[in-house]
Amino acid sequence: MQKTKRKGTENDATPPKKKKVQFEGSNVRDDQNKQKGEKGKKPFDKSKKDMKKGGKPIFTKPGFKGKHDASKGSKKSANNQNPDEKPKWSEMKKEKKNLRLERRKAKATAEIFEISHKAKLLAAQIQRKVIKQDFKITACKELHSLIKGQYKAIALTHDLSRVIQVLLKHSTEDIKNEITEELMDVMVPMMQSKYAQHSVKRILKYGTNFIRHEVIKKFFGHIVSLATHSVSAPVLDYAYGEFATKKEKIHMQQEFYGDMYKNTKDDKVKTLSDTYKDSPEMKSAILQSCKANIQRILDKNLHDGELLHSVLYDYMKACSDEDRAELISTLSPLIVPLSNSLPGVNAACVCVWQGTNKDKKAILKVVKEHVLPLSKHKTGYRLLLAIFDSVDDTVLVKKTIVSTLAGNIQDVASDQRGNMTLHWLVKPKDSAIFHPGITSFLEDGLKSGTSKKDPELRVSELREAILPALKSNMEEDPKFWIDKSRMPLVVAVLSTETSKSLLQALASVICDPNWTIPVPNKDSTVLAVEDAGIHMSLKKLAALDKTATDSFGEAVCDHISEETLQAWLSTNRGCFFVLQLIENNNEKISGKLKKLIKPHINTLKQKTVEGAKLLVQSVQK
């Protein structure tokens, strides 16, 4: 905006008009005519030292005031300022602060302005970590009494909404209840406010169960509008995922099925298909309404919420094949955010099962960049299992997913879900590892999908891609794999393909007399062979000797020492492990083991544990 020139007189409050600055040693206008005839010389040559790069003169005259300072300074300071004196910056800052306060007074109501300054000072004191609890309680009471009755007026402001957040975190339950009751009528506008939404989060986080459910009730009738708002959607999902009961979750989902559920809820309606069970003629209208609500959220890129995922999975099970195919094409680029929740990953699995080859390639392209996080995610690993179980293009699966897992074997195996992902590649549907619910879910999905390849062929091709990397790593670092959480994978690998070098590497760790593990919640250690999980895996390794070409019992005989044998025979589970090795091996290896045990027969006879008794009978037989 162009500034208007102000004409001043001697008695005016405005400063006198500024004179033109002339450079020392030259009069610009007179010298220009004299210098016209001289080549190579330009006007202002003598004043180059006083010029900026841009050609503007640097004003170094004492007491000179630049144009920005002159416009910002007050009239009073401009009048009193002596041109030969330096400006007093402290006074100017003070005047600016006073002006700022006056402007705020003009904008805010008188009551709010009076309490805001004191309220913010008290809130700052309450938040300090060094203050005592008694002072904090007293300060909270004082602060609450100061702004009581004004909560609705200040809830949506950017500064005083922070004061409410402080009270909701640090005050007593009585004060929290009073604040919530006062704010209850403006809960929906607060959800959609950039600043007040944090107060709603605090109410949900620090409030009692009764308060939380009262707040959730206020959301009813506005669920779809809150879910489609960029500010309120994460808060709504927080309430849905963390605090809503099963009944409240169903009631929230019902509002996506149509406007008829905004004001009234039906406890009999638990899924989308229940809405038209008694009225089949309404099916088309209900599905179209649900599809429109889902599309509204997807159009705003608010696709990372468990509430949406629940409705989405419900819709995909009930909609027509054409609508499902259209939705799968839309969801393929969003497959990773979908996998953040259980209903979402179930919907993602439907996309894998029933998508076209083009959709599956698009899904694999997206998954390629997130293989490691997905393999270790609490629900995301299920998407990888569905891909392993149903995508026919195993070459592409090996290139995009299996190669990444093979290159980060120990990182993946260190996590429980990552370990399960590797286990599925080696031995899918292993009942010792996978819950029947997961297995049946994947089997049903495979039957409903578009896969045509022989399942056994698909499993063998993927196994060939991961086994060499697993065996190589186990031989290089057997100590890492001899752990109760990872030993079932070792058993699965050896049950699929035996390896003498791998058995020797494992036996060198197992037969170490110092192989102990820490006792949970104690500072002591115990022999690893006495741990229930490790003992179970050792027995399974011994049982493989019945059919395997390379014997685990033989590897143990090669590495066991007298010290280790004494340690094993002193425990019940150690005796059972040795007994398993004797019973599952041929006569040659069994004879070696019995020969090692015979010098300890008298010691074993003195023991009362069942393992020692059975081992004595087996050796003397």
Side-chain angles (χ1 to χ4, degrees):
M1 186 181 289
Q2 191 173 359
K3 293 187 179 179
T4 57
K5 295 182 179 179
R6 293 179 293 180
K7 295 181 180 179
T9 62
E10 292 179 0
N11 299 325
D12 256 324
T14 56
K17 188 175 180 181
K18 290 183 280 186
K19 293 181 179 180
K20 290 182 181 178
V21 178
Q22 297 196 359
F23 298 92
E24 189 179 351
S26 67
N27 188 328
V28 176
R29 293 201 177 271
D30 293 340
D31 290 349
Q32 277 181 345
N33 295 325
K34 294 178 182 179
Q35 293 172 356
K36 274 183 180 179
E38 297 180 20
K39 287 187 178 181
K41 290 187 179 180
K42 295 181 182 178
F44 312 117
D45 257 1
K46 294 181 181 181
S47 56
K48 279 184 180 179
K49 292 181 181 179
D50 297 327
M51 298 289 284
K52 287 186 178 179
K53 288 183 180 179
K56 294 183 180 179
I58 300 173
F59 298 110
T60 57
K61 193 172 180 180
F64 177 79
K65 209 168 187 180
K67 64 177 181 178
H68 295 293
D69 292 335
S71 62
K72 290 183 181 178
S74 66
K75 292 180 180 179
K76 185 177 177 182
S77 62
N79 265 339
N80 297 337
Q81 183 72 42
N82 191 327
D84 294 329
E85 292 180 3
K86 290 184 178 179
K88 294 182 180 179
W89 298 109
S90 59
E91 290 182 7
M92 291 177 66
K93 286 181 181 179
K94 192 174 181 180
E95 289 173 9
K96 286 180 181 179
K97 188 176 180 182
N98 292 334
L99 285 171
R100 190 161 57 245
L101 288 172
E102 287 173 12
R103 285 195 297 269
R104 290 185 62 193
K105 279 182 183 179
K107 286 182 180 179
T109 61
E111 291 180 0
I112 294 177
F113 181 81
E114 286 175 10
I115 65 173
S116 64
H117 186 63
K118 189 175 180 181
K120 284 187 278 188
L121 287 176
L122 275 171
Q125 289 292 324
I126 293 167
Q127 285 181 291
R128 292 179 64 193
K129 293 181 180 179
V130 295
I131 65 169
K132 295 180 180 179
Q133 187 64 24
D134 295 340
F135 174 79
K136 189 178 287 188
I137 293 170
T138 307
C140 284
K141 287 179 181 178
E142 184 182 349
L143 181 55
H144 175 61
S145 62
L146 186 67
I147 57 179
K148 189 176 181 181
Q150 301 288 338
Y151 283 107
K152 285 184 184 179
I154 67 174
L156 302 178
T157 60
H158 76 282
D159 51 355
L160 292 177
S161 64
R162 298 176 186 274
V163 175
I164 299 176
Q165 293 169 38
V166 171
L167 280 174
L168 289 169
K169 181 177 180 179
H170 298 285
S171 61
T172 58
E173 283 190 14
D174 296 338
I175 295 175
K176 290 177 186 176
N177 292 340
E178 289 179 18
I179 296 170
T180 308
E181 285 174 12
E182 197 171 329
L183 293 174
M184 201 63 77
D185 294 335
V186 293
M187 201 57 68
V188 173
M190 284 175 67
M191 284 276 285
Q192 296 174 332
S193 167
K194 182 180 177 181
Y195 308 107
Q197 50 118 351
H198 299 292
S199 298
V200 181
K201 282 185 181 178
R202 290 285 174 97
I203 292 171
L204 292 169
K205 184 175 181 179
Y206 298 107
T208 60
N209 280 331
F210 176 77
I211 288 176
R212 288 169 183 160
H213 298 305
E214 287 299 311
V215 170
I216 290 172
K217 284 178 185 176
K218 286 292 178 181
F219 299 161
F220 291 146
H222 310 277
I223 296 297
V224 177
S225 61
L226 290 173
T228 53
H229 195 282
S230 59
V231 174
S232 60
V235 186
L236 180 65
D237 197 61
Y238 176 63
Y240 178 88
E242 298 292 332
F243 306 109
T245 62
K246 189 174 182 180
K247 186 177 179 180
E248 287 169 343
K249 287 182 179 181
I250 292 170
H251 287 174
M252 286 185 182
Q253 293 172 32
Q254 285 179 11
E255 294 196 24
F256 284 85
Y257 304 156
D259 292 341
M260 58 184 172
Y261 293 106
K262 272 191 175 182
N263 299 319
T264 57
K265 306 291 186 256
D266 190 349
D267 292 339
K268 294 180 181 178
V269 175
K270 296 182 179 179
T271 61
L272 181 57
S273 57
D274 291 338
T275 57
Y276 52 81
K277 187 182 289 183
D278 299 329
S279 306
E281 67 278 2
M282 294 180 65
K283 179 178 178 180
S284 178
I286 290 171
L287 288 176
Q288 286 301 318
S289 177
C290 186
K291 180 182 178 181
N293 288 330
I294 290 171
Q295 195 61 46
R296 281 177 61 190
I297 299 175
L298 294 178
D299 290 343
K300 292 195 174 184
N301 290 326
L302 301 172
H303 42 68
D304 195 11
E306 190 177 348
L307 174 58
L308 170 67
H309 297 171
S310 301
V311 177
L312 190 59
Y313 181 51
D314 218 10
Y315 174 75
M316 293 182 81
K317 291 188 293 182
C319 68
S320 63
D321 293 340
E322 293 78 9
D323 287 338
R324 190 183 299 111
E326 181 185 346
L327 191 58
I328 288 171
S329 299
T330 306
L331 294 176
S332 294
L334 310 174
I335 206 78
V336 173
L338 271 181
S339 304
N340 286 335
S341 67
L342 184 58
V345 79
N346 290 345
C349 291
V350 174
C351 295
V352 173
W353 293 325
Q354 302 191 20
T356 62
N357 289 334
K358 184 179 178 181
D359 293 329
K360 291 177 182 179
K361 285 182 180 178
I363 289 169
L364 287 172
K365 187 178 179 181
V366 175
V367 168
K368 181 181 179 181
E369 300 175 3
H370 305 276
V371 172
L372 292 180
L374 278 173
S375 67
K376 297 185 281 188
H377 193 269
K378 62 179 181 180
T379 56
Y381 80 99
R382 292 165 70 108
L383 173 63
L384 297 183
L385 301 190
I387 291 171
F388 298 151
D389 209 36
S390 60
V391 176
D392 291 342
D393 191 352
T394 51
V395 175
L396 185 59
V397 174
K398 286 190 280 188
K399 185 179 178 181
T400 55
I401 299 177
V402 181
S403 61
T404 305
L405 296 176
N408 300 272
I409 286 287
Q410 289 199 3
D411 182 27
V412 178
S414 299
D415 183 82
Q416 180 188 356
R417 272 90 185 189
N419 203 353
M420 292 171 72
T421 305
L422 294 172
H423 201 111
W424 188 274
L425 285 169
V426 177
K427 194 175 181 181
K429 304 174 187 177
D430 188 352
S431 58
I433 300 298
F434 299 100
H435 191 276
I438 296 176
T439 306
S440 61
F441 171 74
L442 293 171
E443 285 177 350
D444 294 342
L446 180 61
K447 290 175 185 176
S448 66
T450 57
S451 179
K452 297 178 181 178
K453 199 168 192 175
D454 179 35
E456 292 298 324
L457 179 60
R458 187 189 304 108
V459 169
S460 63
E461 287 176 352
L462 294 177
R463 186 186 289 147
E464 286 172 3
I466 197 67
L467 266 182
L470 278 170
K471 289 171 67 177
S472 174
N473 198 276
M474 288 175 183
E475 288 179 21
E476 290 173 5
D477 191 5
K479 196 169 184 179
F480 172 80
W481 294 94
I482 299 298
D483 178 86
K484 61 181 174 183
S485 61
R486 295 183 279 273
M487 280 189 74
L489 181 55
V490 176
V491 175
V493 169
L494 288 170
S495 65
T496 305
E497 188 176 307
T498 59
S499 169
K500 187 173 182 179
S501 57
L502 175 55
L503 289 171
Q504 292 288 336
L506 295 173
S508 65
V509 177
I510 292 168
C511 295
D512 185 355
N514 298 318
W515 184 37
T516 58
I517 59 170
V519 180
N521 303 321
K522 292 183 181 179
D523 295 332
S524 59
T525 58
V526 66
L527 277 172
V529 76
E530 268 290 278
D531 181 78
I534 292 176
H535 174 67
M536 184 64 67
S537 296
L538 289 174
K539 286 175 68 176
K540 288 180 179 179
L541 277 176
L544 294 176
D545 287 351
K546 278 186 179 179
T547 54
T549 53
D550 298 306
S551 169
F552 178 56
E554 185 178 3
V556 170
C557 288
D558 292 342
H559 289 84
I560 197 167
S561 63
E562 188 68 20
E563 185 182 356
T564 304
L565 187 60
Q566 286 180 2
W568 287 1
L569 297 180
S570 64
T571 65
N572 185 40
R573 285 176 175 155
C575 292
F576 270 113
F577 172 49
V578 176
L579 181 62
Q580 282 287 102
L581 291 172
I582 292 171
E583 290 178 349
N584 290 289
N585 277 278
N586 55 39
E587 292 183 3
K588 182 181 177 182
I589 297 170
S590 298
K592 281 184 181 180
L593 289 167
K594 289 178 181 179
K595 188 175 180 182
L596 292 170
I597 295 167
K598 278 183 180 179
H600 305 279
I601 283 290
N602 292 332
T603 308
L604 287 172
K605 287 180 179 179
Q606 294 174 5
K607 296 188 177 297
T608 57
V609 294
E610 190 66 22
K613 292 178 182 178
L614 293 174
L615 185 58
V616 169
Q617 291 176 11
S618 178
V619 172
Q620 291 181 340
K621 187 176 179 182

